[in-house]
Amino acid sequence: MNNRCWNTTIVIKGIAEWIIAGLISLLISSFFVLIYNYSGTHIINLSGATDYKWVAGQYKAQWAEGINYMHMDENGFNNLSSDDENVDILLMGGSHMEAIQFPTEYNAGSLLNEYLPDYRTYNIGMSGHQLINCLDNLEAAVVEYSPNGYVVIETDNIDISEEDLVCVRDGLVPHIPSYDSGLLYQLQRVPALKVVYKQLTDKLSIDRLMRMSDKTDVDTDGISSSRIEVLKEVLNQKAAVCSDNNIRLVLCYMPHIYVGEDGKLERDDDAEWTETVRNAADEYGIIMIDCFEAAKTEYENTYALPYGFNNSTMGSGHLNMVGHEIVAREIAKAIEEDKG
Amino acid sequence: MSFQTIPFFAFLIVLIFVLAVTKNEKIRQIELLLASFLFYGIWDWRFLGLLFLCIGITHISGRILSNSKNGEESQKTVLSISIVLLLIILGIFKYLKFFVSGLCNVLGLHDSFTLNFVLPIGISFYIFTCVGYLIDIYRGELTGPISLYQEALYIAFFPKILQGPFQKASDFFKQLKEKHPITIDNISSGIQIFLFGLIKKLVIADRLGLFVDNVYMNPSVYSGATLLLAALTYPMQLYCDFSGYSDMAVGVARMIGYELPQNFNIPFLSKNVAEYWRRWHMSLNIWFRDYLFYSLIRSNWVNDLRKKAKGRSKKFAKMLAPLIGMIIVWPLVGLWHGASWNYILYGCLYGLLMIVGLIGDTYGNKKNSKMDILRIIRTWIVTLFALIIFRAQDISTIGIILKGIFTWQRGISYIYTWSLIFVPVVMLICIFAYEKNSGEGFYIQLDLGLFRNKVIFCTVSMLTIILMYVGENYFMYFQF
């Protein structure tokens, strides 16, 4: 190749060609993303039952973790049926309950409809919603859906800091933002742009964390009496919201797990804090389900783990079909026991 | 600051700009040297002191060797002392704990007093670079005045300081005598090679590593099928990680006007282990061959042995020198990779296979080329087995994995989708490249002056970002 003469026309032509090439590549990449990893656009949920939800019938493609192609229901949640009237069991949670990694019929909400055919279960699990967000949204969710029997909040992490508990108690949990209009809304509708943005920001965070990994001390919240006190206040508050509406609150906890060198399944959480939460839940009439033993039994029988997929990390990440089956079974068992 | 991080891209852009506006070649080389120190110092400023020390030892020894007459006893003494000093530095940081622990085990002592040194990144590479440079001076292969900053630049040149490829001093200094303006053609060519390496590293190697690391961390809990898949996946992960780095190094060097040697050449289609090592980590193989193997087989004591053996069998005498070379060199090749028995075992295994190959060539019949496909499969199986040894954390893990595979043990089923995709795809690409270019690898180079090629480049870049694995992703050969 010969070196080219630098004159203005060639430079401008070159830049213009690169810009147009970039736009064409954005288009081609967007088609690819529609097959590989497309989450779609989320909008503010005005009811407040969740901070945001997906647009009605949102198409999703998932290959990064699990393999699935699906549409959300007409309300922007992941249910086989869009019927959100006459709900008996309202299922709340984060991305584990949103469960976009496999077909809808295998998620806990759908399975509960099978296991408890006399109850209508509706799943409003939504990515990004941790336990504090679900607790914060509980009252609005109860008002919106008026469940006849139970509200179940599923979570993989009950280790809430005292600061976060105070926010829940005082109604100061920051809402997860959503962009319903403007430039950011339009940009997130370009599939490739959304993924590229997420990848680059995640990469920057990881690079920063890797540089700091030797220097950062892990900051853990100890079990202080003040933390326990605030926990009790929160649970009392939320139990009261439910009991005022003749509903029982169920906290379904599937802890993170790992397999030890001896081949046994172990839980990866703070045992003392878990016991504290269990005791506090009992005190205020909240049904707390700990799914670890059920997961352990499943593992001992079939070597199946509740988290992870064959195209990500087995044993971590999101709840898989096995995990959802365990969660649904345990919730059904708890509700049947409660009903007597 | 690793090649695949965003700060590195910023560093490279600034460096290219600075080099582009600098007209004087000597100043450009000094800027490159300072940039290399900055690049290395960002990892850990403490390691810079060690690098300066090695450069200092090399410079002083090099001066003395250059000023002495060839063949003088003092020249040999200076060479020996400087090599020993450099290897002591390497030994302290890399091997001290291993040898002390081993000695304590033999003597039945506690080894809790052993000092734990942080392994400076790239130490194996730049110390071997220093040693090779001094041997080249001793052999008279380097002539002419070489200034301190040029020597320092050769040793610390940032595209290759962390993971190679090793480059002959004569090749590098020849380039220093030429001008290296920043040109669009070099940037265009270099960035494509860099992107190729980035795809191998971020899209393939890191994704495969997620699976391999999990399985090898606790192999006893996984099913036999999972263990077999991990064994099949690891060679591809290692190849894409290391050759990806080498490609990025070649690409970066080309962008700033320099050429680095090829380090991998479609190794998985080799017909025997000797060919495999002529295609895998080629620069390391060349280093051991040129500086250790040839020195051994041409030494007086080996020649004496050969003469004695000639009386008994001419064929045996012919293979005696390389045989001795292999027995000594290959365990050291294994040890170079790390202070652990599994690496030594890895080196010994290849040494044994090389010896078997040598005996076969010496006493065997002419090979039938129709059996080549079987030879390639045989070499693949050997590579798989050797890399199980290489990857395992310790000797007991090797046993656990092999037992798990051969007994098809029950356990967690983790049939990794990306292995099922990438391993055959990369193999097919290797076969295509092999057939297309008579067994020699090549880089696809697009003329980015053409619009359609701009579209291809942008699309591939964007897809790389979309598909790249985002997580912890150190280069594997950093640990060596």
Side-chain angles (χ1 to χ4, degrees):
Chain A
M1 278 184 282
N2 297 319
N3 282 323
R4 295 174 185 80
C5 299
W6 288 94
N7 68 57
T8 315
T9 314
I10 287 177
V11 169
I12 292 173
K13 183 174 173 254
I15 293 171
E17 280 188 352
W18 277 112
I19 292 172
I20 295 167
L23 291 171
I24 294 173
S25 71
L26 196 61
L27 188 65
I28 297 169
S29 302
S30 292
F31 278 119
F32 176 79
V33 164
L34 285 173
I35 303 165
Y36 170 66
N37 185 14
Y38 181 61
S39 58
T41 312
H42 56 71
I43 53 176
I44 292 171
N45 186 352
L46 294 170
S47 73
T50 56
D51 288 353
Y52 64 80
K53 59 181 181 177
W54 300 100
V55 299
Q58 174 68 65
Y59 164 74
K60 283 180 176 292
Q62 177 66 250
W63 247 89
E65 191 187 13
I67 298 175
N68 192 26
Y69 297 96
M70 61 172 286
H71 288 89
M72 302 302 263
D73 68 20
E74 289 308 307
N75 305 309
F77 299 108
N78 192 2
N79 294 278
L80 284 174
S81 162
S82 301
D83 178 14
D84 61 356
E85 305 286 329
N86 300 315
V87 173
D88 298 303
I89 301 168
L90 182 66
L91 185 55
M92 299 176 76
S95 51
H96 296 284
M97 283 300 103
E98 190 189 62
I100 57 167
Q101 294 82 16
F102 50 86
T104 304
E105 57 258 43
Y106 300 109
N107 75 36
S110 303
L111 290 173
L112 272 171
N113 279 314
E114 268 183 50
Y115 297 159
L116 299 171
D118 295 335
Y119 294 85
R120 169 100 184 87
T121 301
Y122 193 72
N123 175 15
I124 61 168
M126 189 53 51
S127 54
H129 286 63
Q130 298 175 51
L131 181 55
I132 58 166
N133 304 101
C134 296
L135 289 170
D136 188 50
N137 296 333
L138 178 64
E139 195 166 356
V142 167
V143 165
E144 174 68 9
Y145 293 99
S146 305
N148 294 318
Y150 301 86
V151 172
V152 180
I153 301 178
E154 192 281 337
T155 183
D156 63 332
N157 183 11
I158 55 174
D159 193 8
I160 313 176
S161 66
E162 186 176 341
E163 192 186 333
D164 284 343
L165 283 168
V166 167
C167 285
V168 174
R169 184 194 66 191
D170 299 342
L172 296 173
V173 176
H175 277 226
I176 305 167
S178 207
Y179 303 100
D180 283 18
S181 59
L183 178 65
L184 281 171
Y185 172 67
Q186 298 302 333
L187 284 176
Q188 71 172 318
R189 295 180 75 196
V190 180
L193 260 185
K194 189 175 177 184
V195 174
V196 165
Y197 173 77
K198 186 170 186 318
Q199 288 280 84
L200 290 175
T201 49
D202 286 352
K203 180 100 179 86
L204 272 169
S205 301
I206 294 277
D207 287 350
R208 197 165 41 241
L209 275 170
M210 278 167 71
R211 281 199 301 278
M212 287 167 61
S213 62
D214 293 330
K215 297 164 195 159
T216 311
D217 289 328
V218 176
D219 183 19
T220 53
D221 234 28
I223 304 179
S224 61
S225 54
S226 56
R227 190 177 172 207
I228 296 172
E229 199 185 312
V230 180
L231 168 72
K232 286 184 175 180
E233 284 176 35
V234 166
L235 293 183
N236 185 21
Q237 196 184 72
K238 300 307 166 188
V241 163
C242 291
S243 64
D244 288 349
N245 290 274
N246 296 317
I247 310 163
R248 282 209 76 178
L249 179 57
V250 180
L251 185 60
C252 181
Y253 175 44
M254 173 71 93
H256 288 279
I257 48 87
Y258 66 93
V259 180
E261 279 181 21
D262 56 1
K264 292 201 172 110
L265 195 74
E266 306 287 351
R267 56 194 305 148
D268 188 11
D269 64 353
D270 182 339
E272 202 185 333
W273 178 251
T274 302
E275 192 57 31
T276 306
V277 173
R278 197 193 328 272
N279 292 337
D282 278 344
E283 198 178 323
Y284 297 108
I286 297 170
I287 300 172
M288 180 160 165
I289 304 167
D290 188 331
C291 298
F292 175 71
E293 287 302 322
K296 193 172 172 192
T297 306
E298 183 69 35
Y299 172 71
E300 283 163 2
N301 292 336
T302 64
Y303 292 106
L305 296 170
Y307 289 102
F309 298 83
N310 274 329
N311 58 353
S312 60
T313 310
M314 192 54 71
S316 69
H318 285 99
L319 271 176
N320 54 31
M321 290 195 284
V322 169
H324 272 256
E325 202 185 311
I326 292 169
V327 161
R329 264 201 329 255
E330 293 300 298
I331 294 171
K333 197 166 87 179
I335 288 174
E336 276 169 345
E337 275 172 16
D338 183 57
K339 284 294 176 191
Chain B
M1 185 166 53
S2 197
F3 281 173
Q4 78 278 25
T5 58
I6 292 168
F8 175 75
F9 295 141
F11 164 85
L12 186 62
I13 290 168
V14 169
L15 177 64
I16 287 174
F17 175 75
V18 167
L19 293 174
V21 300
T22 306
K23 300 295 174 209
N24 185 291
E25 188 59 36
K26 184 177 173 182
I27 295 177
R28 220 185 263 138
Q29 289 175 9
I30 291 172
E31 284 166 352
L32 210 43
L33 176 63
L34 293 173
S36 297
F37 287 152
L38 176 66
F39 175 82
Y40 191 71
I42 282 176
W43 279 98
D44 193 321
W45 62 268
R46 297 170 298 174
F47 297 164
L48 261 183
L50 190 64
L51 179 62
F52 292 155
L53 175 65
C54 294
I55 290 171
I57 292 171
T58 307
H59 174 69
I60 293 168
S61 308
R63 278 292 147 271
I64 298 171
L65 286 169
S66 300
N67 294 334
S68 321
K69 284 190 186 147
N70 278 348
E72 263 184 15
E73 201 53 38
S74 59
Q75 230 198 5
K76 215 180 230 180
T77 307
V78 168
L79 179 70
S80 305
I81 291 171
S82 55
I83 289 177
V84 164
L85 273 174
L86 289 166
L87 292 180
I88 284 174
I89 293 172
L90 180 64
I92 288 170
F93 283 95
K94 196 167 174 181
Y95 300 107
L96 180 67
K97 186 173 161 56
F98 172 68
F99 284 118
V100 169
S101 292
L103 195 62
C104 288
N105 282 339
V106 166
L107 299 175
L109 299 170
H110 274 297
D111 64 350
S112 51
F113 59 86
T114 312
L115 294 171
N116 280 315
F117 289 100
V118 172
L119 183 64
I121 199 157
I123 190 171
S124 302
F125 288 92
Y126 66 74
I127 284 192
F128 269 43
T129 300
C130 295
V131 168
Y133 172 65
L134 291 172
I135 294 174
D136 284 343
I137 296 177
Y138 173 78
R139 287 176 179 171
E141 289 176 17
L142 286 174
T143 54
I146 297 169
S147 56
L148 170 60
Y149 80 86
Q150 287 178 324
E151 279 175 347
L153 183 57
Y154 168 60
I155 295 164
F157 190 48
F158 78 90
K160 67 175 179 66
I161 187 174
L162 300 182
Q163 280 194 111
F166 293 104
Q167 185 172 33
K168 288 284 255 180
S170 51
D171 289 341
F172 190 80
F173 289 123
K174 192 173 146 197
Q175 294 187 64
L176 287 184
K177 288 176 184 159
E178 297 155 3
K179 289 196 174 189
H180 298 279
I182 301 295
T183 66
I184 290 176
D185 291 342
N186 278 343
I187 291 179
S188 168
S189 170
I191 207 169
Q192 289 178 68
I193 298 170
F194 185 85
L195 180 62
F196 184 56
L198 208 61
I199 292 169
K200 278 178 172 175
K201 167 64 181 163
L202 292 183
V203 175
I204 302 175
D206 287 350
R207 231 174 250 290
L208 295 182
L210 195 63
F211 167 59
V212 170
D213 290 348
N214 269 286
V215 174
Y216 271 80
M217 200 152 42
N218 200 359
S220 57
V221 306
Y222 291 96
S223 66
T226 304
L227 293 173
L228 179 60
L229 186 61
L232 284 166
T233 303
Y234 179 63
M236 205 52 70
Q237 179 210 349
L238 185 64
Y239 169 66
C240 288
D241 190 287
F242 196 12
S243 70
Y245 180 94
S246 298
D247 292 337
M248 284 193 250
V250 168
V252 167
R254 188 165 298 179
M255 279 193 253
I256 55 177
Y258 287 80
E259 292 300 321
L260 290 178
Q262 195 183 16
N263 215 8
F264 290 85
N265 188 15
I266 320 177
F268 294 132
L269 296 174
S270 305
K271 295 178 219 39
N272 51 57
V273 293
E275 185 184 352
Y276 175 80
W277 277 97
R278 286 196 297 273
R279 291 173 176 273
W280 176 276
H281 200 177
M282 293 154 62
S283 65
L284 178 74
N285 190 31
I286 291 168
W287 193 99
F288 271 98
R289 183 195 67 191
D290 288 355
Y291 298 118
L292 189 58
F293 185 75
Y294 283 165
S295 301
L296 277 168
I297 66 174
R298 288 167 190 166
S299 62
N300 293 333
W301 66 277
V302 170
N303 270 327
D304 291 341
L305 283 171
R306 200 166 50 81
K307 280 172 191 164
K308 282 178 190 167
K310 216 172 184 178
R312 294 187 183 198
S313 161
K314 277 188 182 169
K315 273 190 176 179
F316 179 71
K318 188 181 160 195
M319 76 170 203
L320 182 63
L323 186 69
I324 292 171
M326 284 173 189
I327 290 170
I328 294 171
V329 167
W330 278 99
L332 294 174
V333 171
L335 190 62
W336 176 88
H337 284 87
S340 177
W341 284 111
N342 61 308
Y343 293 125
I344 296 172
L345 191 58
Y346 171 78
C348 291
L349 172 66
Y350 269 114
L352 181 64
L353 292 168
M354 293 290 241
I355 290 168
V356 167
L358 176 67
I359 293 170
D361 287 344
T362 307
Y363 292 101
N365 298 324
K366 196 176 170 196
K367 291 182 176 47
N368 183 347
S369 62
K370 287 178 187 167
M371 304 284 279
D372 279 352
I373 190 88
L374 289 174
R375 291 192 189 96
I376 291 172
I377 293 169
R378 177 192 64 189
T379 309
W380 231 105
I381 292 169
V382 161
T383 306
L384 272 181
F385 179 67
L387 287 176
I388 289 175
I389 297 172
F390 187 80
R391 177 59 182 82
Q393 278 129 266
D394 47 50
I395 302 289
S396 61
T397 306
I398 301 166
I400 292 169
I401 292 171
L402 291 173
K403 184 182 164 212
I405 293 173
F406 286 112
T407 61
W408 210 243
Q409 76 185 17
R410 286 192 69 213
I412 297 168
S413 176
Y414 184 10
I415 304 303
Y416 193 53
T417 314
W418 295 108
S419 293
L420 300 178
I421 295 170
F422 283 138
V423 171
V425 163
V426 172
M427 280 306 295
L428 282 170
I429 292 172
C430 288
I431 292 168
F432 166 77
Y434 191 97
E435 292 297 317
K436 190 168 169 60
N437 204 31
S438 309
E440 298 299 314
F442 60 96
Y443 292 119
I444 294 174
Q445 294 276 273
L446 301 175
D447 177 2
L448 293 184
L450 297 177
F451 178 70
R452 69 159 191 269
N453 290 340
K454 286 185 173 78
V455 173
I456 293 171
F457 181 81
C458 287
T459 305
V460 170
S461 301
M462 201 163 288
L463 288 176
T464 302
I465 297 172
I466 289 166
L467 285 168
M468 72 180 179
Y469 169 71
V470 177
E472 286 196 15
N473 55 2
Y474 292 108
F475 281 103
M476 295 161 72
Y477 262 67
F478 275 178
Q479 64 186 310
F480 307 131

